[in-house]
Amino acid sequence: MHRYSLAHSRRLSCPANAPCLSSQTRAPAELRRRRLLSPSSSSSSSSSSSSSSSSSSSSALVPSLPSSCPPPEEGAEERVASYGPLVGALRRHLPPRRGQRPPRVACPGCGLGRLPFELAAMGYEAQGNEFSYHMLLGSHFVLNCCLEPESHEIFPFVLCSANRRGASDHLRSVRIPDVCPRTALPPNARLSMAAGEFVEIYGDQPGEWDAVASAFFLDTAKNIFLYIRVIASMLRPGGLFINMGPLLFHYSHMPSQVSVELSWEELRPFIWGWAARRDVAGEEGRGTTEGMGRRERGSPRCKYFVAKRNTEPVTGKSNPVY
Ligand SMILES: C[S@@+](CC[C@H](N)C(=O)[O-])C[C@H]1O[C@@H](n2cnc3c(N)ncnc32)[C@H](O)[C@@H]1O
């Protein structure tokens, strides 16, 4: 039996949108085996030595986009669009190899931990990082407390009275998890969660990581320079910085908060300064809008890139903005 412990625990935050957990259980559910990844990315895995473990475990855990908690089938579609390119890039450039130490991949701001779960299932040593106490509670519950798929019923929208079409939209429930980490992950899977603020945790881990896979995270920064600087410092030369997400800076609509809000054009030279090679695939990925998990998706302009760390040392300093 696995138990995924916290690798670190530092400053946590408690935002308002936690899913409501019901403790109801139900009789063993038929397992829904939905693939997370597109056929192309999963087929490429067959050449990888550790891929045998991945095939049985690439289905939805919990709705992975915490802002709207869509039903699992909708969530799966979004994960393919948003996580598929990240996972595909890792498979192409940094595949796990039999007999070798698994590549270490950090997933900052991982929400409910879906991405590190997928990577661990594929043979990576994956670490999720999150500072929201509510997110951590959710991922802990699924990783460590759920015994079988669809064993619990949650009501993700029950406190959400806005933007309903039907009178009982907010009473719609979702069964979780649709895949259970305890049974889906192989016994030797390497998955951990680092609880706390990203900069505080990774700011003093120079060169310790083979890759950073960030999904919908960079724009959570108050000072994005600081995030990028930390990512550059934690990657070994040749390590990969793979990103998917928009520049919808989280603090931009809060007049009382100071934040650095740059365009991609302004940000790019700063990132490329630490990159020996880079590959920008343009705008992909998909987030969700608020709206009771209905098909009311927004289309954030996501930036997807793969940057290979050069040997340029990380000098200078970026100030935190609190
Ligand atoms: C937009 S969500 C994306 C979640 C997840 N990566 C996904 O793709 O669904 C951003 C997440 O980053 C977390 N976060 C924001 N700032 C953080 C920080 N400085 N350190 C750690 N986590 C942070 C938030 O709590 C939130 O769960």
Side-chain angles (χ1 to χ4, degrees):
M1 182 188 300
H2 313 292
R3 189 160 180 88
Y4 299 99
S5 56
L6 293 178
H8 299 264
S9 187
R10 298 195 197 171
R11 194 157 53 87
L12 301 177
S13 134
C14 277
N17 284 331
C20 299
L21 289 174
S22 137
S23 60
Q24 298 175 45
T25 58
R26 77 173 193 184
E30 65 291 353
L31 305 191
R32 278 183 286 162
R33 289 289 180 198
R34 284 181 292 273
R35 306 283 309 170
L36 163 73
L37 300 172
S38 61
S40 58
S41 53
S42 53
S43 65
S44 70
S45 71
S46 57
S47 61
S48 142
S49 61
S50 64
S51 61
S52 55
S53 62
S54 68
S55 56
S56 64
S57 54
S58 49
S59 195
L61 246 187
V62 287
S64 70
L65 294 175
S67 61
S68 68
C69 247
E73 48 273 59
E74 292 180 35
E77 193 183 325
E78 281 144 4
R79 281 190 296 278
V80 169
S82 297
Y83 297 166
L86 300 176
V87 173
L90 278 170
R91 280 202 183 286
R92 272 195 310 281
H93 298 291
L94 196 66
R97 297 193 193 283
R98 192 188 302 274
Q100 291 182 11
R101 177 181 68 78
R104 300 188 75 213
V105 185
C107 303
C110 70
L112 292 170
R114 171 67 193 210
L115 181 58
F117 163 77
E118 289 296 334
L119 296 176
M122 292 171 190
Y124 292 94
E125 181 178 334
Q127 182 168 94
N129 157 243
E130 180 53 61
F131 79 163
S132 156
Y133 202 52
H134 291 162
M135 292 296 161
L136 288 163
L137 280 176
S139 59
H140 166 73
F141 178 76
V142 175
L143 288 172
N144 294 318
C145 307
C146 289
L147 299 178
E148 62 186 29
E150 299 191 344
S151 53
H152 291 72
E153 185 177 19
I154 64 171
F155 295 82
F157 315 110
V158 76
L159 300 178
C160 187
S161 55
N163 206 16
R164 283 177 299 158
R165 285 189 191 141
S168 56
D169 276 4
H170 61 304
L171 300 180
R172 186 160 61 80
S173 66
V174 176
R175 289 275 175 192
I176 64 155
D178 73 347
V179 65
C180 181
R182 281 200 181 201
T183 52
L185 286 176
N188 60 349
R190 299 186 186 213
L191 174 60
S192 61
M193 292 289 290
E197 203 282 322
F198 169 69
V199 173
E200 288 190 14
I201 288 184
Y202 297 99
D204 57 359
Q205 301 188 13
E208 292 185 19
W209 293 88
D210 298 305
V212 172
S214 55
F216 297 82
F217 171 70
L218 290 184
D219 58 355
T220 66
K222 283 192 163 180
N223 183 352
I224 194 166
F225 289 124
L226 184 53
Y227 274 16
I228 307 282
R229 213 178 271 282
V230 169
I231 290 170
S233 87
M234 62 194 279
L235 284 172
R236 63 162 171 82
L240 296 178
F241 175 18
I242 310 173
N243 177 72
M244 171 69 80
L247 294 176
L248 292 172
F249 291 102
H250 282 209
Y251 296 93
S252 59
H253 63 290
M254 299 181 202
S256 62
Q257 302 284 332
V258 177
S259 81
V260 179
E261 294 145 16
L262 298 180
S263 65
W264 170 242
E265 188 183 3
E266 293 163 307
L267 197 55
R268 189 176 46 199
F270 190 64
I271 299 174
W272 285 179
W274 283 299
R277 278 178 37 204
R278 50 261 181 167
D279 176 13
V280 183
E283 291 166 359
E284 297 182 34
R286 185 186 293 157
T288 56
T289 58
E290 305 291 338
M292 316 300 292
R294 288 184 179 279
R295 292 180 176 273
E296 295 172 5
R297 298 193 179 102
S299 305
R301 290 151 58 89
C302 292
K303 186 52 68 184
Y304 167 56
F305 62 80
V306 183
K308 188 172 182 184
R309 180 76 169 89
N310 59 19
T311 53
E312 197 66 35
V314 179
T315 54
K317 189 171 179 293
S318 296
N319 291 318
V321 181
Y322 293 122

